Amino acid sequence: MPNLYQLVYTSVRKPNCDENEIVKILDSCKRNNPPQDVTGILLHSDDLFIQYLEGDKNIIKLYDMIKDDPRHKRVVLLSYGPLQERVFPSWHMGYKNLPKERIDFLTEGNDNDKNIFQSIIKGEQQSGVGAVNLLVKFFNKG
Ligand SMILES: Cc1cc2nc3c(=O)[nH]c(=O)nc-3n(C[C@H](O)[C@H](O)[C@H](O)COP(=O)(O)O)c2cc1C
């Protein structure tokens, strides 16, 4: 049985989730993820989250808890499956804001990325591999 899994979801950031709350979320990540050996990244824009988690199969339990967090809604699981090796081994929750210009810049000239990104933003189901590859690109890795 594989012992490493990845999970990607998108959600809509609620207005009650101001910058202060973002700091609290990252504090929770810092506190809870290292003991569970969970790594990954959390991207946010003004009104959207994308989180990529990697760890043992219990990351689905972490996801179940995060899903009910009142600071976001419309949580859509894009991908959950086995993983060969960690993409972000040393990041207990890498974090990035998603300014519009950067999204435009990164998606410019690449229709495939653009399509994937558009459907992620709309919360449509996407192949996990496509979503993960795009997230990796955002972090200029790989
Ligand atoms: C978008 C989003 C991402 C989150 N990611 C994590 C996470 O990776 N790890 C975590 O422990 N809590 C995460 N949380 C917070 C949890 O929902 C929950 O509030 C927290 O784990 C409670 O633990 P605490 O009492 O130690 O803060 C996230 C919340 C939101 C809204």
Side-chain angles (χ1 to χ4, degrees):
M1 223 171 83
N3 50 21
L4 197 57
Y5 289 79
Q6 52 75 24
L7 187 158
V8 182
Y9 72 82
T10 59
S11 64
V12 173
R13 179 178 169 183
K14 289 216 263 185
N16 67 0
C17 187
D18 56 18
E19 290 308 307
N20 225 5
E21 292 300 327
I22 299 274
V23 172
K24 287 191 200 158
I25 290 171
L26 293 172
D27 281 346
S28 298
C29 293
K30 252 188 249 166
R31 187 164 48 240
N32 304 327
N33 294 1
Q36 301 184 62
D37 217 5
V38 170
T39 50
I41 55 177
L42 176 63
L43 306 180
H44 88 83
S45 69
D46 286 351
D47 52 8
L48 153 99
F49 286 112
I50 302 175
Q51 191 170 27
Y52 168 75
L53 296 165
E54 46 192 23
D56 69 22
K57 62 180 184 333
N58 288 325
I59 52 171
I60 196 76
K61 292 189 184 143
L62 176 61
Y63 167 76
D64 274 340
M65 193 187 73
I66 294 172
K67 197 164 59 125
D68 293 334
D69 194 302
R71 290 169 287 197
H72 62 173
K73 60 182 181 183
R74 284 177 49 202
V75 184
V76 177
L77 184 62
L78 298 179
S79 163
Y80 174 59
L83 182 67
Q84 289 292 335
E85 58 179 314
R86 287 177 197 259
V87 182
F88 299 99
S90 60
W91 299 42
H92 281 294
M93 201 42 63
Y95 168 71
K96 230 176 200 181
N97 195 342
L98 291 174
K100 274 209 165 56
E101 321 79 66
R102 180 139 171 94
I103 294 170
D104 291 345
F105 171 71
L106 273 171
T107 54
E108 197 181 347
N110 185 333
D111 284 348
N112 194 39
D113 282 356
K114 200 169 186 169
N115 288 338
I116 293 173
F117 202 84
Q118 288 301 330
S119 55
I120 290 175
I121 286 183
K122 287 189 212 141
E124 287 167 6
Q125 205 69 30
Q126 257 298 332
S127 117
V129 176
V132 171
N133 284 344
L134 194 60
L135 294 181
V136 169
K137 249 190 193 179
F138 270 116
F139 277 72
N140 301 317
K141 289 191 58 154

